[in-house]
Amino acid sequence: ALALARAALPVLRHRHAKVRCAAVRLVAASIAVPYKAKCRGAGTEAVVDLIGYTAQDTIPIAAFYGGHTTVNYLAELTIDRVTSVRLETAKMLAEFITSLPDRYDHRTRLVPFLLNAVNDEDSQVCEVAMTALSIAGAEYERENEKDIIERRQYGVDGDRRALHEGVLPHPFKERPRLGERLYVRGCTRRFMKPLLNELTDWKSKTKLSSARLLRTVIVYSEEALTQDINVLVPELCTAFKSLDSGESEVFSVLSECCELLGRFIAPDSYVPFLLPRLRGELAVLPTGIDASGRALVLLLGKLFIRGSSPKELVKHAEQLAEALTDDVILTSSLHDLKSRALEACGSLVKALAQSGSSLEAHYLATGRLAHKTRLIESLIYGLLIWRSDPALSCEADDIFVQLASVEARDDAAVTLKVQQLNQIRKKEPQNKEHQELVSWLVTWLVEKYVNAIAARACEAYSLDALWEPNDSSHIVLTQVMSLLTDTRALASLLAKMHELFEGVDEKEVADGMFEQWSETLGLCCQRLCDDPGCCDESEGRLEHFFLCLLDQVCRQKASVDDNNHSRFHSITCFIALASEKKWSSLRHPQGIVFASSLIAYLSPSASIPMRAKACECISRLLRIGTKGRLKSFGKMEKSNAVRREWRAIACLVYTPLLSMLDDAADVVRVGAARALEDILFFVSPQGKYVSGSIEERGSIEEEWVSLEANNPEEEANQQEYISLSDFTRKVLPYLKQASTSWDVEEVEDPFLDTVDSLLQQAAVIDPSMFQSVLAQFEDLSGRLGNLECHVELLVSLEGHSSARNQGSRVQESLSEVNQKSTSDSKPLRFDLDLD
């Protein structure tokens, strides 16, 4: 029988399927011939040849005389392309493990191939294999009756922490019986390592077959694989890493394997194993771990969490949340790492939602209810950062909604909102009402934990490590401020951030740190200023805080990158909040530093919105140093005296604003013209400053320092004002060019309207001088003609006003004479008809 079986082995590879089927039946019959004297099959020694096995310490004699090769015939038969061949092979294996007298000697060799038949595409092959395993399991129960009875009597049928309920993968319709599971477990250790190695095979078909076999082994082994977790996790990470984009089916099966492992391996076992590898602890991983390695561990962790029992996962929820929202992960530039961390958080939050009252009961039983708050805080902190990424925002909002349902079990109003949102999702997802409900739930959750979130964000910028910027804190605080509707909570956040900046030495701060934080703090101040009640309540604190931050930004370098949006936004925000009272408390010359910074954003390399915003901020900056309304210069000199610092600022921005009148963008030109309207307060008929003189006179900042040192008193020095004549000559051509091109009265042009208004206001300063400059233009038609009429009216009013002023002075002299004559008893009286 043995010789016959060995002689038939080569025929198992025949090219005709019918011949292969006949050969399989022959080999099965030859091996299964009973050898009663030895209590074994007569040809069972051929089983070793059938699987092509050779012990490592054994060398066949034939190898000394020629070539010697071994072939795994059984492996080829189980994956044969013809169903009938695979069916005959399954029947042969079923007979071997159920009928051979010495079947226990060969079961570790044969069971892997029979388990592979369980995954067969043909239902008959699956049924034959599963029936054989069921028979073998029943026999195992009879042979180990004592152990089986104890397990059943004490109800110990698997680990209670495992999730045995639930749907199993095809072809399992129910959980395998106890004896069947114990029978297979005794055979897995021998082939587990080779099976895991084949998950990284270069052939996709081999990967898929190995993944399916691993899935079947997990179903039968259940929690017994806990002892192999130190081998399973690294091999699965390697398997996921080796997959190509086209191997989606292999990825799906491997993901199912990880979920099954999460069902049967308790979180008490896999969480302490995964967390050190996620953190990259050198005691566990001496060579460390990179971002891609963390992403693979996160992928496994997400799948494990998805399959775990929610009641058991609650015990480790806090540890998992802190690890998933670690700053190393949140600030990573690798998108896969952040997306997988977000997915893992989603699986964790979903498990918490499914745990029901177990979450609250666990923390109450352990007396650590405050730790539940820390769990929610960590999740919110990470979700706020992921929400700022457009590619992850939708998924983060969905997790926010689930987290709100977990936190609001006893809140009827929030629970109703969640129910409404779920109903909308079923009918018409992503509509306007859906977005409003999501925003409401996110805001409710953030406001509830705002203090703790702000505290964690500020901890990342402790004074000891302030020069090591962390982008995550800035993102979180920006998100919090955009969501908060309670200004009192916002004021509390402001106080925490104020404490952070007190006593900071800017020399030790990393580049860009103040720009990021000043943007966030400026938005916070602006939100508080928009609420009059809150602003009045915290007026002193807000005032002091504003001045402190403004000084910090002023001390930064004036030379900035045109694309530095953070610094630009911080400067514009502070200028919008500034007032004359606040500005007078600052050290000099902060205004000049701001003006120099804003001029940098007027360069052509800056974007159009940035150039327009810079013009608007220059206008606001100039408005801070002026008060009242524009008058003729003689009257303005007495009633609207301007500090020397602001005159220097006006001179600094004068030439750049004139150049912006030629900008290609209409919005920039209009903004520059409006900013020039505020420069009129610094224009004088006797002014000596003209455009284009910055290069000749040097730096305005240096000139300001010398002026301050030589003449500290605030005097209305006419040479520090802009020349009215130069201003008029530079601006008038824009109106003249339009007048000669078309009839401007019939065309609406915001730029021309603004320039027209600008010139009309400039004529108020000194109508006579303005008229003399205007007379130098020959063609005064269109808008220039209207401007000429306006100037003539101002000149006539100026002459009439001078006559009235002179008559008033004569009348005052006559009154003095009348009073003197009355005192001398001489009744003299003079009357003058001034009209």
Side-chain angles (χ1 to χ4, degrees):
L2 176 61
L4 186 60
R6 285 177 173 171
L9 290 179
V11 187
L12 295 175
R13 307 183 73 186
H14 198 276
R15 63 190 184 91
H16 291 302
K18 291 183 178 181
V19 176
R20 292 197 300 273
C21 288
V24 170
R25 289 192 292 269
L26 174 60
V27 170
S30 302
I31 292 176
V33 172
Y35 189 4
K36 295 182 180 180
K38 298 288 186 176
C39 193
R40 64 180 178 85
T44 51
E45 292 181 12
V47 172
V48 178
D49 300 325
L50 184 64
I51 64 174
Y53 174 75
T54 303
Q56 294 181 357
D57 57 348
T58 302
I59 300 177
I61 296 176
F64 291 96
Y65 300 97
H68 175 74
T69 58
T70 58
V71 178
N72 192 339
Y73 298 101
L74 201 53
E76 293 181 351
L77 292 172
T78 54
I79 60 172
D80 196 279
R81 63 181 183 276
V82 180
T83 305
S84 59
V85 178
R86 298 198 305 272
L87 181 60
E88 290 295 336
T89 304
K91 291 178 180 179
M92 177 183 68
L93 292 173
E95 183 180 3
F96 286 170
I97 70 169
T98 58
S99 302
L100 281 178
D102 56 342
R103 53 187 174 274
Y104 275 95
D105 295 339
H106 303 284
R107 65 170 183 166
T108 56
R109 298 189 180 103
L110 300 175
V111 165
F113 300 99
L114 194 60
L115 291 174
N116 197 36
V118 172
N119 301 315
D120 199 275
E121 298 174 356
D122 187 73
S123 58
Q124 291 183 353
V125 177
C126 293
E127 185 178 356
V128 169
M130 295 185 73
T131 302
L133 289 173
S134 180
I135 295 173
E139 184 178 0
Y140 182 91
E141 292 178 3
R142 290 192 300 270
E143 294 175 353
N144 300 271
E145 185 176 358
K146 184 178 179 180
D147 185 25
I148 298 297
I149 288 177
E150 288 182 355
R151 286 174 177 264
R152 287 178 175 171
Q153 285 180 345
Y154 291 105
V156 186
D157 187 9
D159 193 341
R160 293 182 178 179
R161 298 171 298 175
L163 190 62
H164 299 295
E165 298 80 11
V167 180
L168 292 173
H170 178 78
F172 297 96
K173 299 179 181 179
E174 59 182 2
R175 185 185 181 192
R177 61 187 299 166
L178 177 59
E180 190 176 352
R181 285 182 275 121
L182 293 176
Y183 177 82
V184 174
R185 289 178 192 176
C187 306
T188 56
R189 181 167 290 276
R190 180 168 181 170
F191 65 88
M192 178 60 72
K193 186 64 177 177
L195 172 61
L196 294 175
N197 290 336
E198 286 191 353
L199 292 176
T200 55
D201 193 85
W202 63 279
K203 295 181 179 179
S204 298
K205 186 176 180 180
T206 304
K207 289 181 183 179
L208 181 59
S209 178
S210 302
R212 288 173 176 172
L213 179 56
L214 177 62
R215 180 180 62 186
T216 304
V217 169
I218 294 173
V219 173
Y220 280 108
S221 299
E222 293 186 350
E223 67 275 2
L225 291 176
T226 303
Q227 59 185 341
D228 298 320
I229 190 172
N230 61 320
V231 179
L232 287 168
V233 169
E235 293 294 342
L236 286 171
C237 287
T238 307
F240 277 113
K241 186 177 181 179
S242 66
L243 295 180
D244 297 330
S245 58
E247 297 176 328
S248 58
E249 189 176 0
V250 182
F251 181 87
S252 177
V253 176
L254 286 176
S255 300
E256 198 171 1
C257 291
C258 292
E259 290 186 25
L260 288 171
L261 288 172
R263 285 179 60 176
F264 299 127
I265 299 178
D268 294 342
S269 299
Y270 73 75
V271 170
F273 187 83
L274 290 178
L275 289 185
R277 285 158 178 77
L278 180 59
R279 300 189 186 108
E281 295 181 5
L282 296 179
V284 179
L285 300 173
T287 58
I289 189 170
D290 57 359
S292 59
R294 279 195 175 89
L296 291 172
V297 176
L298 280 172
L299 176 59
L300 260 67
K302 174 195 73 173
L303 297 171
F304 275 51
I305 291 171
R306 187 180 296 174
S308 297
S309 170
K311 295 181 180 179
E312 295 297 326
L313 197 62
V314 163
K315 304 174 185 177
H316 306 276
E318 183 182 347
Q319 289 179 293
L320 289 170
E322 291 178 356
L324 294 174
T325 58
D326 186 74
D327 285 335
V328 176
I329 296 176
L330 296 177
T331 59
S332 174
S333 58
L334 185 63
H335 178 75
D336 287 345
L337 178 60
K338 294 189 292 184
S339 63
R340 286 173 179 172
L342 178 60
E343 292 171 358
C345 277
S347 300
L348 178 60
V349 173
K350 185 178 181 180
L352 295 178
Q354 294 174 351
S355 65
S357 59
S358 300
L359 179 64
E360 194 80 17
H362 166 70
Y363 285 106
L364 287 174
T366 57
R368 298 182 298 129
L369 192 58
H371 289 221
K372 179 196 171 186
T373 304
R374 192 156 45 180
L375 162 66
I376 304 298
E377 292 165 4
S378 299
L379 292 173
I380 295 175
Y381 187 89
L383 290 173
L384 286 173
I385 295 178
W386 291 315
R387 193 171 185 264
S388 63
D389 189 343
L392 305 175
S393 59
C394 292
E395 188 174 355
D397 284 343
D398 292 340
I399 299 174
F400 255 124
V401 173
Q402 291 183 351
L403 189 60
S405 64
V406 173
E407 184 62 15
R409 298 187 193 277
D410 300 329
D411 194 322
V414 180
T415 305
L416 180 61
K417 294 282 187 182
V418 174
Q419 293 174 355
Q420 292 176 355
L421 184 62
N422 293 332
Q423 293 176 358
I424 293 174
R425 283 178 174 174
K426 295 178 181 178
K427 297 179 181 179
E428 187 180 356
Q430 303 300 330
N431 58 7
K432 184 178 180 181
E433 187 179 0
H434 174 273
Q435 295 296 335
E436 290 176 353
L437 286 173
V438 170
S439 180
W440 189 92
L441 290 171
V442 172
T443 303
W444 173 81
L445 201 56
V446 170
E447 287 184 345
K448 187 173 182 179
Y449 290 93
V450 61
N451 291 330
I453 296 171
R456 174 174 173 179
C458 293
E459 283 176 5
Y461 276 96
S462 61
L463 294 179
D464 295 334
L466 193 58
W467 47 88
E468 298 176 1
N470 189 324
D471 293 334
S472 65
S473 299
H474 175 250
I475 295 172
V476 167
L477 291 171
T478 304
Q479 286 281 325
V480 169
M481 283 183 291
S482 65
L483 293 169
L484 283 180
T485 57
D486 185 1
T487 52
R488 296 183 184 276
L490 196 59
S492 176
L493 176 61
L494 176 66
K496 289 182 180 295
M497 299 172 76
H498 185 195
E499 295 173 0
L500 180 68
F501 275 80
E502 288 185 336
V504 177
D505 184 3
E506 76 281 358
K507 295 180 180 179
E508 308 229 351
V509 177
D511 294 338
M513 182 268 179
F514 270 116
E515 284 79 355
Q516 292 182 2
W517 277 105
S518 58
E519 176 183 358
T520 303
L521 298 171
L523 289 172
C524 189
C525 293
Q526 189 170 10
R527 292 280 302 279
L528 286 175
C529 290
D530 292 340
D531 187 347
C534 185
C535 190
D536 294 340
E537 185 175 326
S538 58
E539 181 178 359
R541 180 174 59 184
L542 183 61
E543 182 86 7
H544 176 67
F545 185 41
F546 174 80
L547 297 178
C548 170
L549 296 175
L550 198 54
D551 279 347
Q552 295 285 11
V553 175
C554 287
R555 279 182 279 178
Q556 302 301 304
K557 295 181 180 180
S559 57
V560 295
D561 184 8
D562 294 339
N563 296 319
N564 191 341
H565 296 272
S566 299
R567 178 180 175 84
F568 177 71
H569 185 81
S570 64
I571 293 173
T572 57
C573 189
F574 285 138
I575 291 176
L577 292 173
S579 65
E580 177 63 21
K581 179 182 177 182
K582 293 187 178 79
W583 206 275
S584 62
S585 305
L586 298 179
R587 295 191 306 274
H588 301 295
Q590 283 86 349
I592 293 179
V593 174
F594 273 110
S596 301
S597 300
L598 289 170
I599 289 174
Y601 296 104
L602 294 177
S603 64
S605 59
S607 62
I608 293 177
M610 187 174 286
R611 296 201 301 271
K613 186 68 175 179
C615 291
E616 178 186 351
C617 291
I618 289 174
S619 177
R620 288 183 176 181
L621 182 64
L622 294 171
R623 217 172 295 156
I624 295 170
T626 60
K627 57 184 177 180
R629 60 188 180 87
L630 187 67
K631 303 177 182 179
S632 62
F633 190 80
K635 297 179 181 180
M636 184 179 68
E637 182 180 355
K638 297 179 181 179
S639 63
N640 195 18
V642 182
R643 285 171 52 189
R644 176 180 296 168
E645 178 190 1
W646 297 103
R647 297 199 295 272
I649 293 173
C651 294
L652 179 64
V653 301
Y654 175 50
T655 299
L657 286 177
L658 286 177
S659 64
M660 287 295 101
L661 295 178
D662 295 320
D663 196 273
D666 291 340
V667 64
V668 178
R669 292 192 296 156
V670 172
R674 289 174 178 171
L676 287 172
E677 291 180 353
D678 295 296
I679 279 188
L680 292 176
F681 286 90
F682 310 96
V683 176
S684 167
Q686 293 80 27
K688 302 299 182 182
Y689 187 85
V690 296
S691 62
S693 59
I694 294 180
E695 294 79 3
E696 300 173 2
R697 296 174 56 182
S699 172
I700 291 290
E701 295 92 325
E702 297 176 359
E703 184 177 335
W704 158 253
V705 174
S706 62
L707 284 172
E708 186 75 4
N710 298 331
N711 188 8
E713 297 181 359
E714 283 285 342
E715 297 178 355
N717 188 350
Q718 302 296 333
Q719 294 183 355
E720 298 175 20
Y721 283 89
I722 297 173
S723 169
L724 175 62
S725 176
D726 180 75
F727 182 90
T728 308
R729 287 191 178 91
K730 292 297 190 300
V731 180
L732 269 174
Y734 294 97
L735 206 60
K736 180 179 183 301
Q737 183 180 2
S739 301
T740 56
S741 301
W742 58 75
D743 188 0
V744 296
E745 294 181 352
E746 298 180 358
V747 178
E748 293 183 0
D749 191 332
F751 173 67
L752 293 179
D753 293 340
T754 308
V755 172
D756 195 2
S757 174
L758 170 65
L759 291 172
Q760 291 181 16
Q761 294 179 61
V764 175
I765 300 174
D766 192 331
S768 300
M769 175 178 286
F770 192 93
Q771 189 178 34
S772 63
V773 176
L774 186 61
Q776 298 175 9
F777 292 85
E778 298 179 357
D779 185 9
L780 298 178
S781 60
R783 290 182 182 266
L784 284 180
N786 296 336
L787 181 61
E788 182 185 20
C789 296
H790 173 73
V791 174
E792 290 176 353
L793 178 61
L794 290 177
V795 171
S796 63
L797 292 175
E798 183 184 33
H800 183 67
S801 177
S802 300
R804 290 183 61 89
N805 291 338
Q806 184 177 2
S808 298
R809 287 194 294 271
V810 173
Q811 186 66 47
E812 290 175 1
S813 301
L814 292 176
S815 299
E816 293 177 1
V817 172
N818 288 334
Q819 292 177 2
K820 184 177 181 181
S821 63
T822 303
S823 61
D824 295 339
S825 301
K826 295 181 181 178
L828 300 175
R829 183 171 182 82
F830 298 90
D831 293 320
L832 179 64
D833 187 7
L834 297 176
D835 294 330

